[in-house]
Amino acid sequence: FSHFFKINFLRIMTESVLCITTGGSIDKIYSAQSSSFIVGNPSVKGILRVARCGRSVRYHELCRKDSLELTDEDRSEILAKCKECSEKMIVIIHGTDTMNKTAAILKAEMIKMAKVVVITGAMKPEAFKDSDAAFNVGSAFALLPYLEPGAHVVFHSLVFSDPEQITKNEKKNTFEQVSSA
């Protein structure tokens, strides 16, 4: 390894990460009172504790909503938090239906500010045995230091850096790159 790489690697690996939580399927729990699923407490702290995340993480709970309920005001708050924080690396836990919309709003400003944002979540709640939550959160934190400034969606080990070129495939329960045909 070159001296430059060693210095940057150590800096990147010791920088703190801001984790903004907004809710989504990842945090859904069953409510016996309403006989339905509701967005519960953020699950990311528990996921990172179990994974023994070696990185310093600061948490900010912005809201507890399904992403279809996120408003333009909520997205403005997400953007404001990303702009005002001192961290250069940010993970946003988000519902799957509108991740690309949030990424599109953040992308240009994060490039200007040389900040890396990764948006992730899960197709199934973290509480489910077969949830993809832990894998997606782990992938987001692992890939974060190696991505260019901007806003990226990280899901099922794939990185989507262009929010205009991502689509949710409901049948396959994953995200795909939009074909340019």
Side-chain angles (χ1 to χ4, degrees):
F1 293 107
S2 72
H3 180 67
F4 175 78
F5 179 79
K6 284 181 186 176
I7 290 171
N8 282 322
F9 181 78
L10 290 173
R11 180 189 59 80
I12 288 169
M13 296 313 290
T14 58
E15 279 185 13
S16 180
V17 174
L18 172 63
C19 183
I20 299 171
T21 62
T22 66
S25 295
I26 192 171
D27 293 331
K28 286 194 175 176
I29 56 170
Y30 184 73
S31 168
Q33 291 175 329
S34 66
S35 295
S36 64
F37 284 93
I38 60 169
V39 179
N41 291 327
S43 59
V44 68
K45 285 182 185 179
I47 291 169
L48 293 177
R49 181 180 32 73
V50 168
R52 293 179 181 84
C53 179
R55 191 177 275 300
S56 172
V57 181
R58 184 169 67 92
Y59 299 93
H60 176 77
E61 183 179 338
L62 191 113
C63 59
R64 292 183 186 182
K65 294 183 177 182
D66 184 284
S67 70
L68 291 173
E69 298 170 352
L70 286 176
T71 63
D72 290 341
E73 184 178 298
D74 293 325
R75 286 187 177 80
S76 293
E77 283 186 53
I78 293 169
L79 176 60
K81 189 66 181 175
C82 290
K83 286 171 69 172
E84 76 184 22
C85 74
S86 60
E87 291 87 353
K88 295 287 188 189
M89 295 186 294
I90 303 160
V91 172
I92 300 173
I93 305 301
H94 197 290
T96 59
D97 288 307
T98 63
M99 287 178 165
N100 57 337
K101 187 173 181 180
T102 300
I105 290 169
L106 298 175
K107 184 177 178 178
E109 199 62 38
M110 296 303 100
I111 290 171
K112 282 187 218 171
M113 297 184 75
K115 291 188 176 191
V116 179
V117 173
V118 167
I119 302 172
T120 197
M123 292 292 183
K124 293 184 179 180
E126 182 272 337
F128 284 23
K129 182 179 178 181
D130 62 344
S131 175
D132 52 342
F135 184 76
N136 290 336
V137 169
S139 294
F141 276 84
L143 291 167
L144 186 64
Y146 304 103
L147 297 174
E148 296 290 325
H152 313 271
V153 171
V154 171
F155 218 85
H156 297 154
S157 77
L158 300 174
V159 178
F160 301 94
S161 298
D162 184 350
E164 306 300 323
Q165 295 295 313
I166 181 177
T167 187
K168 183 177 175 182
N169 184 323
E170 299 283 348
K171 287 183 181 178
K172 293 181 180 177
N173 250 355
T174 194
F175 286 94
E176 297 174 338
Q177 195 78 28
V178 175
S179 58
S180 53

